[in-house]
Amino acid sequence: MKIIAGNWKMNGSRSGLAAMQKSLGEIDTENRVVLCVPFTMIDGAGGPAAIGAQDVSCHDHGAFTGEVSASMLADAGAKYVIVGHSECRMYHGDTNETVHAKAEMALSVGITPIICVGETMQERDAGKTLEIIESGVRESAPNDGGDVIVAYEPRWAIGAGITPTEEDIADAHKLIADILDSMGRGGTPILYGASVKGANAAQIMSIPHVDGVLVGGASLKPDDFIPIIMATK
Ligand code: PGA
């Protein structure tokens, strides 16, 4: 069983989500499928895929115009939330510290945070990949308070149509697994994300410590997303 999570980013519609859920209802899979959709679609369509959000406030309630709290997400039916996605780190200034606070908020209401970590091209070129991954996991993942998912997303490969080598993915995931173990979080699922598609999904998910994938562009249409889900049983 793998976890196949889609990240719709700022794309899609409620009717598109209903159509996706209908298509997902026609396939036979043991995998856990999650769709992280814009806030407006969270309560939009029941179906086989669990629904998640793409961000959450690190505050509980109050004068935070434009923000959505974890309890509001739970109230709308979200079961998962992505925290620390590279686009939120880049455009909204998320840091490991705020990501940690967001993950704690999600856990406090029973929502599973999907905590994203990964290096930029600059960090990669400077040979800092493993260092960034290590601080990302140690500082972003709460030590206790319920199950989390970690997603390794090399930021330079997101939406770029390129992926790291199998060896690089294996090294990153082994490191993350060891760190999570040392934090008392052994067995936490670790997803790979960035430029996953039907053609590379089976190979990526056969790498040790890759427990599933987080998929952006290729999660928007059933014709692209279903082959990824069916790439492994
Ligand atoms: P991509 O995005 O699959 O389009 O590269 C992945 C992500 O941003 O989670």
Side-chain angles (χ1 to χ4, degrees):
M1 195 279 291
K2 300 283 187 185
I3 299 171
I4 316 290
N7 171 14
W8 277 19
K9 309 192 180 191
M10 199 169 71
N11 294 294
S13 63
R14 291 164 70 90
S15 61
L17 178 58
M20 175 66 86
Q21 289 280 35
K22 188 164 178 288
S23 298
L24 294 175
E26 286 157 11
I27 61 169
D28 188 16
T29 177
E30 303 269 296
N31 295 325
R32 195 188 324 161
V33 182
V34 179
L35 286 171
C36 296
V37 295
F39 292 132
T40 53
M41 300 171 207
I42 287 170
D43 70 348
I51 296 297
Q54 300 169 12
D55 197 9
V56 63
S57 177
C58 53
H59 304 287
D60 184 49
H61 70 279
F64 298 101
T65 301
E67 298 200 23
V68 176
S69 73
S71 54
M72 291 169 186
L73 293 183
D75 186 43
K79 303 286 184 230
Y80 297 85
V81 63
I82 295 172
V83 290
H85 188 275
S86 84
E87 285 144 24
C88 296
R89 290 178 187 262
M90 186 163 49
Y91 302 132
H92 305 158
D94 270 4
T95 60
N96 288 339
E97 193 184 357
T98 51
V99 173
H100 187 280
K102 289 176 177 194
E104 278 191 331
M105 277 295 180
L107 289 171
S108 73
V109 296
I111 291 179
T112 302
I114 302 174
I115 301 167
C116 299
V117 299
E119 78 286 0
T120 61
M121 181 64 97
Q122 229 179 355
E123 290 161 344
R124 178 176 184 249
D125 290 346
K128 290 189 174 163
T129 297
L130 297 182
E131 190 184 315
I132 293 294
I133 293 173
E134 169 145 23
S135 56
V137 176
R138 282 203 193 282
E139 293 168 20
S140 305
N143 285 306
D144 45 34
D147 292 343
V148 305
I149 294 172
V150 170
Y152 169 53
E153 294 208 308
R155 291 166 66 168
W156 51 272
I158 292 176
I162 45 169
T163 55
T165 63
E166 264 187 62
E167 201 185 342
D168 284 346
I169 297 176
D171 287 350
H173 280 245
K174 169 82 169 74
L175 174 69
I176 295 169
D178 288 346
I179 296 166
L180 289 166
D181 231 5
S182 76
M183 294 173 73
R185 287 199 170 278
T188 294
I190 307 166
L191 313 184
Y192 168 81
S195 297
V196 175
K197 46 187 192 280
N200 62 18
Q203 199 181 1
I204 289 171
M205 285 192 278
S206 69
I207 299 171
H209 299 293
V210 176
D211 303 303
V213 285
L214 179 56
V215 187
S219 69
L220 292 169
K221 291 192 207 131
D223 283 355
D224 295 327
F225 194 41
I226 288 174
I228 296 173
I229 300 168
M230 301 310 277
T232 176
K233 292 276 170 179

